[in-house]
Amino acid sequence: MFFWSLVLIAVGIFSSFIYGRSRINLNSKKQGTKSKSLPTYYAQYVLIWCLFPALIVYFSWAIFQEQIIQNIVISNFEYIEGAVYNEGLLLAEIRNVANNPSFADGKSIEIINAAAHYSSLRQISQISFYTSIIIIMLLGALYASQKLKPEFHAQHTIEKYIQYILIFCSSVAIFTTIGIVFSLIFESLRFFAEVSIFEFLFSTEWYPFIPIREGQTAAEGSFGAVPIFAGTFLVMVVAMCVAAPLGLLTAIYLAEYASQRVRKIVKPLLEILAGIPTIVYGFFAFVSVAPFVKAFGQSIGIDASPTSALAAGMVMGVMIIPFISSLSDDVINSVPQSLREASLGIGANKAETIKKVILPAALPGIVGAFLLAISRAIGETMIVVVAAGTAPNLTGNPFENVTTVTVQIVVALIGDQEFDNPRTLSAFALGLVLFVITLFLNIIALQIVKRYRERYE
Amino acid sequence: MNNSIAKEKIVSLRKKRSLEDMRFKYYGFTAMCLSLAVLVFLLYTIFSKGYTAFQKTIVLLEVDYNQEVLKLTPDSSDEDKEKGKFFRVKKQAIENFFPDLSKSDIKLVKKLFSINVDKEIKDYFLDNPEVINTKQQIWVTAHSDVDQLLKGNSRRDVPEDRRKLNDIQLSYVDQLVEENRVKQVFNNFFFTKADSRHPEIAGVAGSFMGSLFTLFTVFILSFPIAIGASVYLEEFAPKNRITELIEVNISNLAAVPSIVFGLLGLGVLLNVFGLPRSTPLVGGSVLALMTLPTIIIACRASLKAVPPSIKEGALAVGATKTQAVFHHVVPLALPGTLTGTIIGLAQALGETAPLIMIGMIAFIPNIPTGLTEPSAALPVQIYLWVESAERGFQEKSAAAIMVILIFLFMMNAIAVFLRNRFERKW
Amino acid sequence: MSNSKILANGVDVYYGSKQALFGISMDIKEKEVTALIGPSGCGKSTFLRCINRMNDLIEICKVSGSIKVDNEEIISEKTDVVSLRSKIGMVFQKPNPFPKSIFDNVAYGPTIHGLVDSKNELEEIVHSSLKKAGLFDEVKDRLNEPGTSLSGGQQQRLCIARAIAVNPEIILMDEPCSALDPIATAIIEELIDELRLNYTIIIVTHSMQQAARVSQKTCFFHLGELIETGETNKIFTNPDNTKTQDYITGRFG
């Protein structure tokens, strides 16, 4: 359906363009004056008035059609007394029957009726969709064609419209942020309506199992997120223990020691490391590093969990190395050459220059880079989903199984999502915490880096 | 006298210092090599675990296309042929696979074959209808357990109860090998089929198409919006609070964890707007919002690189600012923007977490054909296979990683090519 | 005084809080070449860019005072900058052809202003503009090659052709020869001499010899002030002001 409507819109805008062009030429000939703008601008004017209303209709149909039809079908459904219905399953069944009459065999009469209703509604919707697209395009063209007079400054108007479009494009970023904040806060509030915020932030028990159906006997869930935060922190610390020294030393070597040729080879290789999808690192952790950690633990007499913080953290560290090294590389390179020369000039060797002069000078930038890396480690998902555990565990031992914020978000949202269940909603509360922390780290880091840059510019 | 002692001290100190210098350089070098070694080891792991997935094991099966068993005649219409009782033919073929099989043995033998064998027997017949009432030797797909055993991925020296194949089945497989009734060929299924519960017939075609559709959505949404935003911020925006807010916003958005974008997709696109779950449309929209900052940053950089003299030249002949920008500056910045966009798309291709949030993790056994159809995506497919307990899926996940890495490599190559081909030095 | 083309009165220009021009008043005659000379940073380019409002591009730049072109005030909110600029062409210090074909470079102006109704007319304008800029014979066989492939002097003449193509009355030249070699410079100077018959030309130049060669009037700027203005011959032989005297004899600059 939507493909043909796109064709329809394409035809519409094409003919509106042609129409606008010939109409203005005609009008200016009639009046014997030259039009204020080039004919194409009048044509574009008609086109815009044709296209945008049509697009609005198109998208509102695309978004709301199915919803509205389903609501009508469900509200008119002849429920049988006493029977229990699952709305989602029911809808799926109705849709199946409607799309494929051969499924109708053996289905109850209500379903078949509803399916027929569904199909007829779809048909009505389609017909009215095409009619309204055509009508709205004609109306738009009609409105625009009234303005097609030589004294009308079409170019000004078009340029104004372009400005609006550009402004809209740049505000998408703002809308995104608002959308993130809105959805996180909205669902979190629903969560905190059922779970106290103090319990969430300070209690150490995380058993997010709440009876889904009434009468089901299960333990009351408890939502103390401390073990999750602790696990996240532990994995992050392990990752930074790997990434900070390796990344920083690599950056120093590349910036201060390596020859042009080595740099030219190594930098793209590090970029490859940075471009590998995180799920690949997860696979790597799962099949290579975790067994290695387990074997290593055994050899020193520690019973390591197969989903240890150590394995996940080490691989995450590897993932962050290129991030740290490229940021630190930039920072070290922006230390002015004069400082280097001053230090070398009084007879210090390279290592001394780096340790005593360059690193102290670059320190704020490096701290900023580390903060960004930490923020990234906290927000990283796939490595820990694959390689870390799902059971909360309040421990400082990296050989034990831990879980992280991102893992719990994924776990809560995989499978059935029940938006009246705190277990599902807890994902949004955790997401809010994650968002706030990473945003905070990021703002501080950017501020530090910015101030550092200003110092040497 | 004092002087010479001091000198000696300095000399020995200098030796120590230069040693220190060497050591420090060596640390840096080691760190760099370690990082690269991990890269090599990672690629090696993937290759060594994954290359076997490009082969499948097939078994020679003698099938008797008896018309009575099939309930068909040589003159049956094509429609009737579709409905032939091929499962009976298969049953017969398996019963006669080895001479004198007992009932319990037949059950064991049956488990050596893939579930897809029915279809293969049928397809063979439909392609060659003249084989009716003849016996045919057909190569059919073996069960994943056999496949894994012959590839050496599962071991035969573990106790029987921890093996997928018991001792009798092992002896059957050995017999097949001896009689040359089993061989390994190129695994076309891996590239032509979608996900499946059965490893031997699971492929990446479905998730690959899903990823393509997703990337298409990302491109359609993010490219024009990024250009619009960059042009506005770079060329038109007045220097005020709001502009500054937008800029800060973009740089912070670039650092928001991807999983949070997934929550956005779930909370807003699915729950508020009611867009269809598990579809490339939603996945692509989420990833588009996620990659937008990357592309905007690249686009602004290339807009900045266009020398102002070009714009001035256009303005001086009386072009409006809009004309000068859209006729001259934007076309010149396009290659750079495109490069940035491809890099952004490469990033989006590997993103997994947001897609899980919006339900692209569902098990989808067919190949999607549109933007609004439920589908999988390559990285999520990898995740599903990594998490799967079955041995046969592990090589699949590694092989799927190879596919995604090659895909990524090609995208980056295109980006580099574009940059080298069209980048202007002013 | 009937044929005065541009009349500036008390023009002040500020860059942020820094004042760059102090009350410049000037009267520029039609179909004459006026040279603006002075040491670097004296504000002569700034003044030139006021005349076609190119200073609008610099956000911190504020212009006050009055400039009248054909008795129409142009330092005003209401001025239609676009039509002003189509009336006043400009040639820049460094040749800045668009990275398009030679033909498209010249055709751009006429196309956006709708000066032509058909392809043939456009071709005619392009050819005649290139001829007026003295470039046609050199490029007539390769009009589709990129403008950036020409030599520096040719590029600058292409930019002149681009400016001429919109049929302006005034051409502003901002040190048009500073990036060119002596031979190319000579060709451009010759061209300026020819263009004088049809256009009012204002040229900013560093080279006093050039000013002496091509201009009828010369204005000497110093530290943002207009020190002296007059017939070129007089300025270079017998200036009234000692600063002018010092500058043209090479005592500073």
Side-chain angles (χ1 to χ4, degrees):
Chain A
M1 153 183 191
F2 286 113
F3 171 74
W4 285 109
S5 56
L6 281 182
V7 172
L8 183 67
I9 292 178
V11 170
I13 58 178
F14 183 73
S15 41
S16 66
F17 189 85
I18 301 287
Y19 166 75
R21 210 179 160 114
S22 50
R23 183 69 191 270
I24 186 63
N25 283 337
L26 202 75
N27 280 359
S28 35
K29 232 179 231 155
K30 236 195 271 168
Q31 298 194 11
T33 50
K34 215 165 174 332
S35 55
K36 284 230 169 183
S37 312
L38 291 182
T40 21
Y41 286 103
Y42 295 89
Q44 282 173 23
Y45 183 76
V46 184
L47 185 149
I48 284 179
W49 272 99
C50 218
L51 174 65
F52 276 78
L55 280 186
I56 291 172
V57 171
Y58 180 91
F59 280 114
S60 45
W61 233 275
I63 291 170
F64 298 116
Q65 154 176 276
E66 193 63 27
Q67 287 261 302
I68 292 172
I69 293 182
Q70 283 178 3
N71 282 343
I72 296 175
V73 169
I74 284 293
S75 62
N76 286 337
F77 189 73
E78 306 147 26
Y79 289 96
I80 298 196
E81 295 278 319
V84 183
Y85 291 98
N86 176 319
E87 215 168 84
L89 284 181
L90 186 66
L91 265 175
E93 213 166 333
I94 293 173
R95 257 204 316 258
N96 271 341
V97 174
N99 291 338
N100 198 341
S102 65
F103 286 163
D105 296 353
K107 293 279 169 0
S108 64
I109 185 74
E110 309 90 63
I111 299 257
I112 293 173
N113 283 344
H117 189 198
Y118 178 84
S119 311
S120 73
L121 283 177
R122 280 204 73 132
Q123 227 159 28
I124 294 171
S125 158
Q126 262 195 44
I127 293 168
S128 46
F129 171 72
Y130 282 112
T131 354
S132 43
I133 284 248
I134 291 172
I135 289 176
I136 203 99
M137 286 205 295
L138 285 178
L139 281 179
L142 197 71
Y143 170 79
S145 68
Q146 290 182 327
K147 299 253 182 150
L148 294 185
K149 298 193 178 115
E151 61 269 22
F152 172 58
H153 231 317
Q155 191 181 354
H156 280 186
T157 317
I158 292 285
E159 291 188 350
K160 214 165 63 198
Y161 289 167
I162 290 179
Q163 285 283 313
Y164 294 150
I165 295 172
L166 294 185
I167 290 174
F168 169 78
C169 288
S170 1
S171 54
V172 167
I174 301 248
F175 289 137
T176 308
T177 310
I178 292 173
I180 289 174
V181 172
F182 164 81
S183 63
L184 288 180
I185 288 184
F186 180 73
E187 307 286 0
S188 297
L189 282 179
R190 285 171 67 186
F191 174 72
F192 289 125
E194 298 190 36
V195 177
S196 108
I197 189 163
F198 292 102
E199 182 193 330
F200 179 71
L201 287 180
F202 301 112
S203 161
T204 58
E205 302 272 303
W206 180 267
Y207 295 114
F209 310 113
I210 280 211
I212 292 172
R213 264 173 276 125
E214 260 176 282
Q216 188 183 15
T217 48
E220 268 282 303
S222 72
F223 290 89
V226 172
I228 300 176
F229 299 147
T232 311
F233 185 73
L234 183 61
V235 174
M236 182 274 285
V237 168
V238 173
M240 287 307 286
C241 286
V242 173
L246 283 181
L248 187 57
L249 282 172
T250 304
I252 291 172
Y253 184 78
L254 284 178
E256 300 288 332
Y257 288 105
S259 66
Q260 197 63 38
R261 243 184 70 210
V262 172
R263 246 205 303 263
K264 237 183 179 166
I265 299 168
V266 173
K267 278 202 155 182
L269 286 176
L270 285 175
E271 267 171 42
I272 293 181
L273 209 53
I276 290 176
T278 54
I279 179 67
V280 177
Y281 284 104
F283 173 84
F284 180 58
F286 186 71
V287 303
S288 288
V289 181
F292 168 77
V293 166
K294 195 162 165 56
F296 174 75
Q298 255 160 7
S299 72
I300 57 169
I302 299 173
D303 188 20
S305 154
T307 52
S308 61
L310 193 59
M314 273 164 57
V315 174
M316 192 186 279
V318 172
M319 183 201 85
I320 299 175
I321 288 174
F323 191 70
I324 289 189
S325 75
S326 80
L327 282 175
S328 309
D329 195 32
D330 288 350
V331 167
I332 291 172
N333 276 329
S334 64
V335 172
Q337 196 59 28
S338 58
L339 280 182
R340 245 171 234 119
E341 282 162 3
S343 169
L344 294 172
I346 55 169
N349 61 31
K350 257 192 167 169
E352 288 160 350
T353 306
I354 293 166
K355 280 192 266 191
K356 301 263 163 62
V357 178
I358 294 177
L359 286 186
L363 191 64
I366 292 172
V367 169
F370 280 14
L371 287 181
L372 285 177
I374 288 174
S375 147
R376 181 166 269 216
I378 291 175
E380 170 44 40
T381 310
M382 289 326 289
I383 294 176
V384 279
V385 166
V386 174
T390 51
N393 184 6
L394 191 54
T395 177
N397 179 355
F399 283 98
E400 276 188 49
N401 153 72
V402 296
T403 191
T404 71
V405 173
T406 47
V407 172
Q408 287 307 315
I409 294 176
V410 171
V411 168
L413 294 178
I414 281 186
D416 283 335
Q417 296 164 356
E418 310 265 341
F419 274 83
D420 46 6
N421 182 336
R423 177 161 169 65
T424 299
L425 294 175
S426 71
F428 288 87
L430 289 171
L432 184 63
V433 173
L434 184 66
F435 178 70
V436 170
I437 290 177
T438 50
L439 189 68
F440 181 69
L441 282 172
N442 192 47
I443 289 176
I444 293 182
L446 288 183
Q447 209 62 37
I448 292 175
V449 172
K450 196 173 145 203
R451 238 179 254 163
Y452 166 77
R453 291 256 144 103
E454 278 163 7
R455 184 158 19 135
Y456 290 123
E457 260 166 22
Chain B
M1 186 68 191
N2 254 347
N3 219 352
S4 74
I5 290 178
K7 232 176 215 168
E8 233 167 71
K9 229 175 163 180
I10 288 177
V11 168
S12 78
L13 194 64
R14 197 175 290 158
K15 252 185 204 156
K16 216 177 120 197
R17 280 171 53 200
S18 78
L19 221 72
E20 185 89 341
D21 188 30
M22 288 292 291
R23 205 181 309 150
F24 191 68
K25 183 178 172 183
Y26 176 71
Y27 287 155
F29 184 72
T30 316
M32 187 186 79
C33 291
L34 256 175
S35 313
L36 296 180
V38 175
L39 175 65
V40 172
F41 182 49
L42 184 129
L43 295 177
Y44 168 75
T45 306
I46 291 161
F47 183 76
S48 64
K49 299 266 177 200
Y51 77 99
T52 50
F54 298 115
Q55 293 210 307
K56 64 175 176 180
T57 305
I58 51 177
V59 184
L60 194 61
L61 183 66
E62 190 180 67
V63 184
D64 181 6
Y65 285 106
N66 185 302
Q67 71 175 65
E68 250 119 77
V69 183
L70 281 169
K71 299 211 163 158
L72 289 174
T73 63
D75 326 312
S76 297
S77 68
D78 285 353
E79 223 168 283
D80 285 338
K81 278 180 194 157
E82 282 279 341
K83 289 181 186 155
K85 309 288 182 198
F86 294 97
F87 68 94
R88 292 169 58 176
V89 172
K90 175 199 163 198
K91 199 171 154 224
Q92 220 176 39
I94 286 174
E95 278 164 5
N96 299 322
F97 190 57
F98 290 114
D100 310 323
L101 285 171
S102 73
K103 253 202 168 151
S104 60
D105 288 342
I106 289 172
K107 261 193 183 159
L108 292 177
V109 171
K110 204 176 160 194
K111 283 193 184 139
L112 300 179
F113 292 94
S114 163
I115 187 143
N116 200 41
V117 168
D118 290 61
K119 196 172 169 299
E120 287 166 27
I121 290 176
K122 178 177 167 184
D123 288 347
Y124 183 83
F125 178 74
L126 294 179
D127 289 345
N128 315 288
E130 72 281 0
V131 299
I132 192 159
N133 291 325
T134 61
K135 285 189 177 176
Q136 293 293 323
Q137 304 270 329
I138 305 179
W139 286 101
V140 295
T141 311
H143 194 276
S144 169
D145 295 338
V146 178
D147 183 49
Q148 291 302 307
L149 181 80
L150 291 179
K151 284 174 180 168
N153 289 345
S154 51
R155 294 161 54 179
R156 44 170 76 215
D157 51 2
V158 288
E160 192 174 8
D161 55 342
R162 284 173 55 194
R163 261 190 270 130
K164 290 275 188 160
L165 299 173
N166 65 18
D167 289 342
I168 305 173
Q169 285 170 318
L170 280 186
S171 69
Y172 284 146
V173 174
D174 291 338
Q175 194 181 335
L176 286 175
V177 174
E178 223 161 87
E179 295 171 3
N180 275 332
R181 288 165 72 186
V182 60
K183 68 176 177 184
Q184 302 210 331
V185 293
F186 173 70
N187 186 359
N188 53 336
F189 289 162
F190 185 70
F191 296 102
T192 55
K193 285 191 180 290
D195 197 10
S196 164
R197 304 265 184 231
H198 308 278
E200 70 272 12
I201 53 169
V204 290
S207 47
F208 187 84
M209 287 312 287
S211 273
L212 275 191
F213 284 127
T214 308
L215 285 189
F216 175 76
T217 315
V218 174
F219 180 78
I220 289 291
L221 289 177
S222 61
F223 188 61
I225 293 181
I227 288 186
S230 321
V231 167
Y232 183 72
L233 293 175
E234 210 49 58
E235 304 284 349
F236 294 103
K239 293 256 174 300
N240 60 20
R241 274 264 179 77
I242 297 174
T243 311
E244 205 172 304
L245 182 74
I246 294 177
E247 304 215 1
V248 170
N249 205 329
I250 290 172
S251 64
N252 278 324
L253 218 46
V256 170
S258 61
I259 192 168
V260 173
F261 282 94
L263 291 173
L264 166 76
L266 177 61
V268 176
L269 295 183
L270 293 187
N271 286 356
V272 178
F273 290 123
L275 292 178
R277 254 182 100 74
S278 314
T279 54
L281 179 68
V282 179
S285 310
V286 171
L287 294 183
L289 294 179
M290 204 192 80
T291 46
L292 206 53
T294 315
I295 304 179
I296 289 180
I297 289 166
C299 185
R300 290 185 67 175
S302 46
L303 283 173
K304 254 192 206 127
V306 177
S309 69
I310 298 287
K311 198 167 74 183
E312 284 182 350
L315 290 174
V317 294
T320 63
K321 203 168 173 186
T322 314
Q323 285 174 326
V325 169
F326 280 95
H327 293 170
H328 297 286
V329 182
V330 171
L332 290 177
L334 220 49
T337 310
L338 215 54
T339 310
T341 307
I342 294 173
I343 289 168
L345 286 181
Q347 204 182 36
L349 172 65
E351 239 355 293
T352 321
L355 300 184
I356 294 181
M357 303 285 98
I358 56 105
M360 281 182 93
I361 193 171
F363 172 72
I364 314 283
N366 35 16
I367 298 173
T369 55
L371 290 181
T372 51
E373 257 176 64
S375 71
L378 266 179
V380 184
Q381 185 70 76
I382 294 168
Y383 168 65
L384 284 171
W385 283 344
V386 171
E387 290 281 275
S388 166
E390 280 221 45
R391 262 245 166 255
F393 280 122
Q394 203 176 70
E395 59 167 21
K396 301 274 172 199
S397 57
I401 287 175
M402 283 192 234
V403 171
I404 205 174
L405 288 183
I406 290 170
F407 200 172
L408 279 176
F409 177 78
M410 287 191 330
M411 288 173 80
N412 281 301
I414 292 173
V416 169
F417 170 77
L418 273 178
R419 186 158 51 198
N420 293 343
R421 176 80 176 69
F422 293 108
E423 197 181 48
R424 264 167 208 280
K425 289 267 183 289
W426 300 98
Chain C
M1 293 300 272
S2 61
N3 60 349
S4 111
K5 188 77 180 164
I6 301 171
L7 200 63
N9 202 349
V11 177
D12 291 329
V13 175
Y14 291 85
Y15 287 116
S17 57
K18 192 176 158 277
Q19 189 165 4
L21 285 183
F22 297 85
I24 306 293
S25 300
M26 195 186 286
D27 179 7
I28 290 169
K29 297 277 182 290
E30 205 174 353
K31 294 187 181 159
E32 259 185 2
V33 178
T34 307
L36 310 183
I37 60 168
S40 343
C42 65
K44 51 194 193 299
S45 283
T46 302
F47 179 72
L48 190 77
R49 293 168 72 98
C50 287
I51 298 174
N52 70 344
R53 296 275 299 268
M54 280 308 250
N55 279 336
D56 290 13
L57 297 186
I58 302 161
E59 246 166 81
I60 53 167
C61 182
K62 297 272 171 300
V63 182
S64 62
S66 149
I67 300 179
K68 284 188 175 152
V69 176
D70 287 339
N71 279 324
E72 242 176 88
E73 180 59 54
I74 63 155
I75 308 292
S76 142
E77 292 275 304
K78 276 178 270 170
T79 313
D80 183 354
V81 183
V82 168
S83 66
L84 175 74
R85 286 183 192 147
S86 62
K87 194 160 135 187
I88 307 178
M90 184 162 189
V91 177
F92 295 84
Q93 196 166 359
K94 253 177 76 187
N96 59 347
F98 303 132
K100 298 183 170 184
S101 73
I102 295 172
F103 185 91
D104 288 345
N105 259 288
V106 185
Y108 181 67
T111 316
I112 59 167
H113 291 301
L115 299 181
V116 289
D117 288 329
S118 69
K119 261 220 146 101
N120 288 341
E121 277 181 60
L122 184 65
E123 221 161 80
E124 218 168 277
I125 288 199
V126 171
H127 289 185
S128 71
S129 307
L130 283 171
K131 273 176 200 152
K132 280 186 204 158
L135 189 63
F136 187 67
D137 290 337
E138 288 161 64
V139 299
K140 63 182 173 209
D141 300 326
R142 45 181 179 139
L143 289 177
N144 288 321
E145 277 175 38
T148 41
S149 66
L150 297 173
S151 73
Q154 287 173 323
Q155 286 191 16
Q156 197 61 297
R157 276 181 283 152
L158 178 63
C159 292
I160 293 174
R162 183 174 72 191
I164 292 173
V166 259
N167 204 10
E169 294 161 24
I170 304 167
I171 299 176
L172 309 176
M173 297 186 170
D174 189 357
E175 302 190 29
C177 302
S178 65
L180 304 181
D181 60 64
I183 296 172
T185 303
I187 295 174
I188 300 252
E189 283 178 7
E190 240 168 75
L191 177 61
I192 292 173
D193 220 37
E194 277 168 37
L195 292 174
R196 171 167 70 93
L197 303 175
N198 296 312
Y199 306 95
T200 307
I201 295 173
I202 307 173
I203 177 170
V204 166
T205 175
H206 244 106
S207 142
M208 279 170 289
Q209 290 84 349
Q210 188 172 56
R213 280 195 299 264
V214 301
S215 71
Q216 284 76 51
K217 288 271 170 56
T218 297
C219 307
F220 172 61
F221 280 69
H222 183 57
L223 294 177
E225 282 178 86
L226 179 57
I227 306 294
E228 187 171 353
T229 174
E231 296 290 327
T232 301
N233 282 339
K234 181 169 178 291
I235 295 268
F236 278 97
T237 51
N238 184 21
D240 293 335
N241 194 299
T242 49
K243 273 188 197 158
T244 319
Q245 174 86 43
D246 288 350
Y247 182 68
I248 59 169
T249 51
R251 258 177 240 167
F252 69 91

